[in-house]
């Protein structure tokens, strides 16, 4: 049976690769242009998520390996993220901004929900490619949650809601959907941690053979000649 994905998922998937390929610094350059549109507290949260990503996931690391092999470790986005909040208040809005910017700077297209999400989308959309950030009505939220190609959900909610959503995602078929929950609406203790952005990425390793065929054998031979 062919499963029809929500149109927002299809749009986001089309722009995912191009957005991810910009790299952290390329995405930061675009997202920083939107910061002045946000109220001060939200702007500080968004700027912190951008700066944190530049420090923690922007660099490609060269890993140790055998002679003639170069191994590189980097990060890439997971895919389409749904960012939403069932909590209200100023801190919840700040948290929602934080999760949207964390998901975006990590290389993921984002879909927001409801009026609060629409406000955030309207401030970011002018500085990114069409489809990188979208919004849906609350009535369409369930269809997005059930979509097979949704990579993750970032949500502000209470502990009971987080548990229910986790169980719901576990029962889904298709792509494993990452749950990134924040249940501390007062302090945003999860969103404010430096490793928060890591919840939105997946590691990528590239191994390059830099030695010609027989090169290692030649190196061994030269080594034995010195003995």
């Amino acid at each position: 049976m062919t499963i029809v994905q929500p149109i927002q998922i299809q749009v986001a998937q089309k722009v995912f690769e191009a957005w991810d390929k910009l790299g952290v610094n390329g995405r930061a350059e675009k997202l920083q242009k939107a910061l002045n549109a946000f109220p001060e507290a939200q702007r500080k949260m968004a700027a912190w998520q951008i700066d944190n990503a530049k420090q923690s996931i922007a660099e490609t690391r060269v890993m140790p390996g055998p002679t003639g092999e170069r191994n590189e470790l980097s990060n890439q986005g997971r895919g389409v993220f749904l960012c939403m909040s069932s909590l209200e208040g100023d801190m919840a809005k700040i948290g929602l901004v934080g999760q949207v910017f964390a998901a975006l700077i990590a290389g993921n297209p984002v879909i927001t929900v409801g009026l609060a999400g629409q406000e955030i989308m309207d401030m970011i959309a002018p500085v990114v490619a069409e489809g990188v950030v979208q919004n849906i009505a609350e009535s369409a939220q369930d269809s997005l949650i059930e979509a097979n190609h949704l990579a993750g959900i970032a949500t502000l909610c209470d502990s009971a809601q987080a548990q229910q959503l986790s169980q719901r995602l576990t029962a889904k078929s298709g792509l494993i959907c990452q749950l990134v929950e924040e249940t501390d609406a007062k302090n945003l203790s999860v969103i404010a941690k430096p490793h928060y952005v890591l919840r939105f990425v997946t590691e990528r390793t590239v191994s390059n053979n830099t030695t010609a065929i027989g090169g290692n054998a030649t190196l061994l031979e030269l080594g034995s000649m010195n003995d």
Side-chain angles (χ1 to χ4, degrees):
M1 180 179 68
T2 301
I3 299 176
V4 178
Q5 296 295 324
I7 186 63
Q8 294 85 0
I9 296 287
Q10 297 178 41
V11 170
Q13 285 182 313
K14 290 179 180 178
V15 300
F16 171 40
E17 184 176 1
W19 178 246
D20 188 49
K21 280 188 174 181
L22 288 176
V24 172
N25 292 322
R27 293 189 293 270
E29 184 178 352
K30 293 183 177 296
L31 293 174
Q32 285 168 340
K33 296 177 182 178
L35 294 182
N36 288 335
F38 288 85
E40 183 180 5
Q42 296 178 23
R43 181 171 65 251
K44 288 181 177 179
M45 170 60 82
W48 185 86
Q49 294 293 345
I50 293 173
D51 291 340
N52 179 58
K54 290 170 71 175
Q55 295 176 25
S56 60
I57 65 171
E59 180 184 357
T60 297
R61 300 182 181 181
V62 178
M63 308 298 289
T67 301
E69 184 175 292
R70 179 182 176 89
N71 299 300
E72 297 178 342
L73 176 66
S74 60
N75 296 283
Q76 64 181 47
R78 287 180 173 271
V80 187
F81 263 82
L82 179 66
C83 293
M84 60 189 192
S85 175
S86 62
L87 306 178
E88 298 181 351
D90 291 341
M91 288 302 293
K93 290 181 180 179
I94 294 170
L96 185 58
V97 169
Q99 64 182 202
V100 168
F101 271 82
L104 286 172
I105 193 63
N108 308 287
V110 163
I111 300 172
T112 62
V113 179
L115 292 177
Q118 181 71 49
E119 292 177 359
I120 296 172
M121 189 203 81
D122 288 343
M123 289 183 277
I124 298 175
V127 303
V128 299
E130 185 177 358
V132 170
V133 58
Q134 303 174 76
N135 180 262
I136 57 168
E138 292 182 3
S139 59
Q141 180 176 298
D142 284 343
S143 66
L144 263 292
I145 292 174
E146 295 300 328
N148 284 353
H149 291 89
L150 185 68
I153 297 175
T155 181
L156 287 94
C157 60
D158 60 36
S159 298
Q161 290 172 322
Q163 184 177 13
Q164 292 173 0
L165 185 54
S166 178
Q167 293 172 346
R168 184 176 177 181
L169 296 181
T170 300
K172 282 179 56 177
S173 59
L175 184 68
I176 294 176
C177 189
Q178 173 89 350
L179 177 62
V180 186
E181 72 271 27
E182 172 62 89
T183 59
D184 182 6
K186 182 178 180 181
N187 301 305
L188 302 176
S189 56
V190 173
I191 293 175
K193 289 182 178 178
H195 62 256
Y196 179 68
V197 70
L198 299 180
R199 304 284 297 276
F200 296 90
V201 299
T202 183
E203 291 184 341
R204 173 173 55 191
T205 57
V206 178
S207 180
N208 295 308
N209 185 353
T210 59
T211 305
I213 296 175
N216 284 337
T218 302
L219 290 173
L220 290 172
E221 182 180 354
L222 290 173
S224 65
M225 292 175 62
N226 293 328
D227 291 340

